[in-house]
Amino acid sequence: MKSITQEKKKKPYGGIKNISGYLKEKYGERGVLIKQGRPIVMNQQSMEQISGRKTRNCSVVAVTRVIDYYRKKYKLEGIPEDIKETYKFVEEVAESYGYNDKIGTIPFFIAGITRDAFREYGIKAKCKGVYVWTFEKQVVKEISEGRPVIMNIARGYYKDHTVVVAGYSIWKVGDKLYPMLRVIDGWRSGYHYIDYEAFARDISQSVFGSFNTTVLDIKQNGGK
């Protein structure tokens, strides 16, 4: 069993449910909400609920969530309404990229899996893995456009894990601003939060992590 000290060390930035409580504990004040980004409503089920098993399939589930989100948003035909069926298909695409239950998905292939899965459904999508990121470009800009972001994380609380960013907020504690990412982590259902400031510091010495963006060509795809 892990000690309380080890648990605190394990949670430098993620798994947050109550933002004001977290800010109070970590920075000394509850903070004031300065800006609330556009919330993106999408499937929040756990990885196990979507795939039917508990395994190393976080990236496959994340891609599935994004596809399901765009299916609903643009009323795209051909994509199953049942997200579990979509998952099975995305998993097959991921297997062609080397995915399996033992090693999971190689992060560099997330964009390719997303693009190929959309293409198999007859949808043209521009998918990009970004390895040198900023909060403004990869979070604020994408969320403002109503586009969820797949985020693969190398270190810390979400080590070797992939989540979906579905919103953000900016809080002020004293004279400092703290951006908070609203994520679906798949370990549990529902939304959780990442302290972006603490996250960025945690991986500042590592290039292994990415934000994966997806932009659909709606006119070409005939979306509504």
Side-chain angles (χ1 to χ4, degrees):
M1 181 179 290
K2 294 176 181 175
S3 68
I4 294 176
T5 302
Q6 286 176 316
E7 281 298 318
K8 283 187 176 180
K9 198 171 183 180
K10 184 184 176 185
K11 300 182 180 182
Y13 62 75
I16 301 162
K17 285 293 287 183
N18 183 320
I19 295 176
S20 61
Y22 166 84
L23 293 174
K24 170 72 173 176
E25 183 179 353
K26 191 170 182 70
Y27 302 113
E29 296 180 29
R30 288 189 174 275
V32 178
L33 178 61
I34 299 299
K35 181 179 180 180
Q36 180 76 55
R38 176 180 181 174
I40 292 179
V41 179
M42 58 195 305
N43 184 287
Q44 304 165 43
Q45 291 177 299
S46 70
M47 293 153 54
E48 188 173 2
Q49 288 173 317
I50 289 174
S51 67
R53 66 189 196 279
K54 194 170 184 178
T55 188
R56 297 173 62 87
N57 59 357
C58 54
S59 296
V60 180
V61 171
V63 172
T64 301
R65 284 191 212 281
V66 169
I67 291 175
D68 184 69
Y69 165 76
Y70 283 116
R71 173 191 67 80
K72 293 176 186 174
K73 181 176 181 178
Y74 295 117
K75 298 180 173 61
L76 298 173
E77 298 179 359
I79 300 176
E81 293 186 10
D82 185 350
I83 194 170
K84 295 178 182 178
E85 291 301 314
T86 304
Y87 172 83
K88 292 177 184 176
F89 176 74
V90 175
E91 187 177 66
E92 289 181 4
V93 174
E95 286 171 351
S96 71
Y97 278 83
Y99 161 81
N100 62 53
D101 284 353
K102 291 184 179 180
I103 66 170
T105 305
I106 296 174
F108 294 107
F109 293 152
I110 292 174
I113 292 168
T114 309
R115 181 176 55 251
D116 286 1
F118 270 117
R119 184 167 57 208
E120 289 296 321
Y121 282 125
I123 300 164
K124 185 177 181 180
K126 182 179 180 180
C127 305
K128 183 179 180 182
V130 182
Y131 302 95
V132 179
W133 57 79
T134 67
F135 177 72
E136 288 296 327
K137 287 185 178 180
Q138 277 65 57
V139 178
V140 175
K141 182 177 183 295
E142 295 301 307
I143 297 301
S144 297
E145 294 293 331
R147 298 192 292 256
V149 181
I150 297 174
M151 181 180 178
N152 176 260
I153 303 168
R155 294 171 58 182
Y157 182 75
Y158 287 126
K159 181 179 179 180
D160 296 330
H161 189 54
T162 298
V163 304
V164 176
V165 181
Y168 73 91
S169 56
I170 299 176
W171 296 69
K172 187 173 184 179
V173 178
D175 59 356
K176 188 169 177 56
L177 298 180
Y178 291 92
M180 306 295 291
L181 308 185
R182 181 175 182 246
V183 304
I184 306 169
D185 66 22
W187 287 347
R188 300 138 297 188
S189 60
Y191 295 108
H192 291 80
Y193 299 89
I194 288 175
D195 176 350
Y196 183 83
E197 180 78 10
F199 158 76
R201 284 201 307 269
D202 189 88
I203 66 164
S204 62
Q205 302 302 315
S206 173
V207 297
F208 297 104
S210 64
F211 282 86
N212 291 269
T213 60
T214 302
V215 181
L216 301 194
D217 186 341
I218 299 305
K219 291 182 180 180
Q220 187 272 343
N221 291 315
K224 297 179 181 180

